[in-house]
Amino acid sequence: MITEKTITKTNTMGQVSERLARLSESQTLAMAQKSRELKAQGVDVINLSIGEPDFNTPDHIKEAAKKAIDDNYSHYSPVPGYDELKKAVCRKFKRENNLDFTPDQIVVSNGAKHSIANVILSLINQDDEVIIPTPYWVSYVELVKLARGKNVLIDAGIESDYKIKPEQIEAAITPRTKLFLFSSPSNPTGSLYTREELKAFADVFARHPQVYVISDEIYEHINFIGSHESIAQFPQIKDQVIVVNGVSKGYAMTGWRIGYIGAPQWIAKACNKLQGQMTSGASSIAQIASVAALDGDNSCIKEMCATFKKRRDILYNLLKEIPGLKVNLPQGAFYLFVEASYFYGKTDGKTIIKSTNDLALYILNDAFVALVDGSAFGAPDYIRFSYAASEEQLINAAKRIKTSLLKLV
Ligand code: PMP
Ligand code: GLU
């Protein structure tokens, strides 16, 4: 039986620093760990908690890594990454996003999460404000807390497909605003902004040149409606935007840990300095594999994206039929973010559901399906489903969840 206490949200106080004590554990990773533990105990858990492609890394990328080992890429790389990878990243930005970056504007890190952490720690002073559209991805607010900045959250619910309006950004900007941080396509909602919507955001930021924008584009390639749009394309804010991307999601390379930024040169330099003291360059082998990913045949990306779209439709159609769940149809990433407050106050005779955290625990214990409750993303009435799982698992999970939810009265 999993209880509230088994999923630790906050580090208990011991001898750790105040900085660490203030930090919450990643709830996505905590739920994924819990699901692994249950599986190891022999429980037939369907894990829809973690957001990572269930595909294997394509063969041509694996071959490049094997060759890199034989070619003795076994030494420290330059801190911001090998030139060959930085050049491949520049080519990628030009080819796929029509963005002009030079290698001295690129810093390669240990995953996009590390890239985001570098930028936040490089720019944020105590009490600097960071505007974050909510629902947000778990680590954003925690990294801002780590840097002693202040999170300023602006909300958008399911009725607006979780998309904020430019007026909300304008209203949230103060003289202390330093950063705006968002993802499109979004984790946890799967929403993505159109070119026109991004242009309206860019017009706001152009009026506030002290505000920098971290554009997290890690789900760029999982887009069901067309080609990806980056906010960095608008010349009026070119010097304000830091694009974050990586190979984790598009190329099914989460474990290889390669992310990167394209940024104004001074910000790239700052990240390089920070990284030089904290981690040095990212894995040499994974960097060479990433050159093969970025320069290689893109058909693997298209195939994975088509599979995700099919799975989205399957899960959306099944969840929409479950009384009490409100679902929208997202256009990218691999998540459904579902409103579930209908279940508050309901009970199976043993447990009373008071929050979506209670609901996620009930579903884990009764249906053996691992999900992440919306409070991890700043949206407590919601629950996140990752559909990076097989069709069979998705169909089974929806069936089990329906049976469990129907028991709540
Ligand atoms: N940004 C978002 C929105 C994500 O969902 C993730 C995946 N955890 C990351 C960044 C980090 O990606 P990486 O695995 O490359 O660190
Ligand atoms: N992006 C994934 C998720 O949101 C990976 C977990 C993490 O890095 O937090 O589930």
Side-chain angles (χ1 to χ4, degrees):
M1 170 85 177
I2 308 298
T3 64
E4 166 100 27
K5 276 202 187 125
T6 23
I7 300 173
T8 325
K9 282 201 173 154
T10 316
N11 293 296
T12 41
M13 289 285 284
Q15 298 303 313
V16 300
S17 67
E18 284 172 27
R19 184 188 306 109
L20 198 79
R22 268 200 315 272
L23 198 68
S24 299
E25 187 179 345
S26 164
Q27 280 173 260
T28 46
L29 297 181
M31 200 57 167
Q33 180 57 25
K34 195 43 56 197
S35 146
R36 273 187 216 116
E37 282 167 21
L38 283 175
K39 230 175 219 162
Q41 289 164 22
V43 181
D44 170 27
V45 185
I46 302 177
N47 184 9
L48 306 188
S49 71
I50 189 131
E52 73 165 331
D54 53 325
F55 305 113
N56 293 324
T57 302
D59 286 341
H60 68 282
I61 301 173
K62 293 198 279 198
E63 288 309 320
K66 290 176 200 165
K67 182 164 184 311
I69 294 173
D70 289 338
D71 290 348
N72 296 309
Y73 276 91
S74 49
H75 301 273
Y76 288 128
S77 79
V79 172
Y82 286 120
D83 272 348
E84 49 209 295
L85 178 53
K86 290 195 295 177
K87 284 181 186 158
V89 169
C90 291
R91 286 194 290 276
K92 174 259 176 283
F93 276 133
K94 188 66 193 166
R95 186 178 63 244
E96 297 184 347
N97 313 109
N98 198 24
L99 298 175
D100 291 301
F101 284 107
T102 48
D104 56 2
Q105 295 180 281
I106 308 299
V107 179
V108 175
S109 302
N110 298 288
K113 189 185 285 189
H114 184 207
S115 301
I116 296 165
N118 275 343
V119 178
I120 290 174
L121 290 170
S122 294
L123 294 186
I124 296 301
N125 285 316
Q126 180 155 5
D127 296 331
D128 279 351
E129 292 174 4
V130 182
I131 300 175
I132 303 183
T134 306
Y136 49 71
W137 179 49
V138 265
S139 295
Y140 294 165
V141 292
E142 298 303 324
L143 290 170
V144 170
K145 271 160 62 183
L146 196 63
R148 313 210 71 170
K150 196 171 148 209
N151 288 297
V152 176
L153 305 179
I154 51 181
D155 290 321
I158 193 167
E159 61 294 337
S160 57
D161 278 331
Y162 306 105
K163 294 207 271 187
I164 54 151
K165 300 263 179 292
E167 305 84 69
Q168 289 176 276
I169 303 177
E170 184 78 65
I173 293 177
T174 75
R176 288 228 66 137
T177 307
K178 190 72 185 274
L179 262 180
F180 175 80
L181 168 51
F182 79 121
S183 58
S184 175
S186 156
N187 179 1
T189 68
S191 294
L192 49 89
Y193 289 101
T194 63
R195 186 177 186 283
E196 291 65 37
E197 287 164 335
L198 292 172
K199 158 92 170 48
F201 290 0
D203 291 341
V204 174
F205 297 123
R207 289 195 287 278
H208 301 277
Q210 88 283 7
V211 180
Y212 292 89
V213 176
I214 298 182
S215 178
D216 179 350
E217 303 181 14
I218 191 79
Y219 293 97
E220 160 175 18
H221 293 117
I222 308 167
N223 177 327
F224 310 135
I225 56 163
S227 57
H228 176 71
E229 298 287 349
S230 172
I231 194 168
Q233 70 186 281
F234 302 105
Q236 64 270 40
I237 56 161
K238 187 162 185 341
D239 296 334
Q240 290 165 257
V241 181
I242 303 106
V243 182
V244 172
N245 211 324
V247 294
S248 296
K249 313 286 174 171
Y251 296 92
M253 290 177 72
T254 44
W256 298 73
R257 309 308 304 131
I258 296 292
Y260 54 81
I261 56 167
Q265 206 185 358
W266 68 273
I267 295 177
K269 240 173 131 177
C271 292
N272 183 7
K273 183 174 165 190
L274 180 64
Q275 184 162 300
Q277 292 293 12
M278 290 186 74
T279 59
S280 301
S283 153
S284 53
I285 315 295
Q287 286 192 53
I288 299 303
S290 299
V291 175
L294 295 177
D295 281 347
D297 174 12
N298 254 358
S299 54
C300 54
I301 292 184
K302 296 205 175 83
E303 281 164 29
M304 290 190 263
C305 184
T307 307
F308 281 129
K309 183 164 186 255
K310 204 163 157 220
R311 293 169 175 183
R312 174 202 64 174
D313 293 339
I314 290 172
L315 191 62
Y316 169 79
N317 285 316
L318 291 169
L319 295 187
K320 154 163 108 49
E321 297 309 322
I322 300 180
L325 296 181
K326 268 192 226 156
V327 198
N328 75 334
L329 190 67
Q331 298 166 325
F334 37 64
Y335 306 104
L336 292 181
F337 205 58
V338 175
E339 214 273 356
S341 62
Y342 167 84
F343 293 97
Y344 294 170
K346 304 226 178 310
T347 179
D348 64 341
K350 286 178 274 176
T351 322
I352 299 178
I353 306 298
K354 294 190 262 355
S355 62
T356 53
N357 186 31
D358 290 346
L359 192 66
L361 287 173
Y362 170 71
I363 291 173
L364 183 60
N365 285 317
D366 199 77
F368 303 118
V369 179
L371 306 171
V372 184
D373 87 87
S375 61
F377 312 100
D381 293 342
Y382 297 80
I383 204 153
R384 188 187 80 173
F385 291 69
S386 161
Y387 54 83
S390 70
E391 288 178 24
E392 191 194 346
Q393 283 176 313
L394 296 174
I395 292 166
N396 246 326
K399 207 185 281 169
R400 291 194 205 172
I401 290 172
K402 186 171 183 180
T403 308
S404 293
L405 292 182
L406 285 174
K407 288 192 239 165
L408 295 175
V409 287

